[in-house]
């Protein structure tokens, strides 16, 4: 009786070990299967292209000037200020310089009754700080970083 009990326990033990081994081997094969590569049409520019020097400069300027305190860092959600992704399209009826001037001194454009400036100000009713030290090139770099970030999957 005792010996029978002992033998069946042994059998169970051996089965247990075999089962664990099978799991281990199975896991090993499963874990080693590489992920299928992205289909070319699923890739966006951002996943393929590393950021250009202009985009990297824009990223530093974005951080140094604290734009992310009021604008969503992912450029997609509304925060204290609007989501900046797609801002170029919202200003495309106007010369590009208007957008540069806006970032330097938004109050001046509102005072001049620039249509987009007035519209966005009326929607948010709070004023952006002035960034008088930013050149056209600086703002262009920030906007390049904005679009690059907004386009990421
Ligand atoms: C203190 C908060 C705050 C900070 C900091 C800030 N913004 Fe803004 N921004 C706003 C608000 C609010 C608006 C909406 C317009 C308004 O009411 O002035 C806005 C609007 C804008 C717009 C126009 C958006 C549109 O849809 O037309 C741009 C472009 C912009 N900001 C860029 C920047 C950049 C670049 C920086 C950093 C250099 C910055 N902002 C820093 C609050 C801020």
């Amino acid at each position: 009786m005792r010996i029978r009990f002992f033998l069946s326990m042994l059998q169970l033990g051996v089965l247990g070990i075999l089962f664990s081994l099978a799991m281990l081997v199975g896991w090993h094969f499963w874990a080693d299967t590489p992920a299928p590569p992205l289909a070319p049409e699923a890739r966006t520019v951002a996943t393929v292209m590393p950021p250009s020097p202009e985009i990297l400069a824009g990223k530093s300027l974005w951080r140094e000037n604290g734009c992310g305190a009021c604008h969503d860092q992912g450029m997609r959600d509304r925060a204290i200020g609007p989501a900046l992704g797609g801002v170029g399209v919202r200003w495309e009826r106007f010369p590009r310089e208007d957008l540069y001037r806006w970032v330097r001194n938004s109050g001046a454009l509102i005072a001049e009754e620039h249509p987009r400036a007035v519209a966005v100000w009326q929607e948010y009713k709070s004023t952006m700080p002035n960034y008088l030290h930013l050149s056209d090139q600086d703002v262009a770099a920030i906007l390049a970083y904005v679009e690059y970030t907004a386009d990421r999957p």
Side-chain angles (χ1 to χ4, degrees):
M1 205 44 203
R2 276 246 167 115
I3 292 202
R4 265 207 171 165
F5 177 72
F6 176 73
L7 281 177
S8 56
M9 281 293 127
L10 198 68
Q11 265 177 345
L12 267 181
V14 171
L15 273 177
I17 289 169
L18 283 178
F19 180 73
S20 316
L21 275 176
M23 293 293 282
L24 264 177
V25 172
W27 164 259
H28 186 75
F29 278 111
W30 181 71
D32 269 3
T33 315
L38 269 182
E41 61 276 12
R43 291 189 205 143
T44 67
V45 176
T47 51
V48 176
M49 301 235 310
S52 66
E54 185 190 29
I55 292 169
L56 291 175
K59 182 178 185 173
S60 308
L61 287 164
W62 171 274
R63 292 205 176 143
E64 286 158 20
N65 291 285
C67 312
C70 299
H71 296 283
D72 172 38
Q73 311 266 7
M75 315 298 174
R76 293 182 214 197
D77 298 322
R78 187 185 169 117
I80 295 172
L84 292 184
V87 69
V89 177
R90 298 198 285 276
W91 286 71
E92 74 186 352
R93 292 191 288 137
F94 311 104
R96 191 74 170 165
E97 287 67 36
D98 291 7
L99 201 41
Y100 303 154
R101 287 179 55 218
W102 165 275
V103 174
R104 274 195 292 271
N105 183 353
S106 59
L109 257 75
I110 297 167
E112 282 169 27
E113 298 185 15
H114 182 287
R116 174 63 198 164
V118 171
V120 71
W121 180 74
Q122 277 176 347
E123 193 182 340
Y124 286 84
K125 288 273 158 44
S126 84
T127 325
M128 242 179 74
N130 286 347
Y131 292 95
L132 298 174
H133 62 285
L134 294 180
S135 65
D136 286 0
Q137 205 191 348
D138 291 339
V139 180
I142 296 177
L143 295 175
Y145 169 67
V146 163
E147 295 306 343
Y148 178 82
T149 307
D151 279 349
R152 292 177 85 94

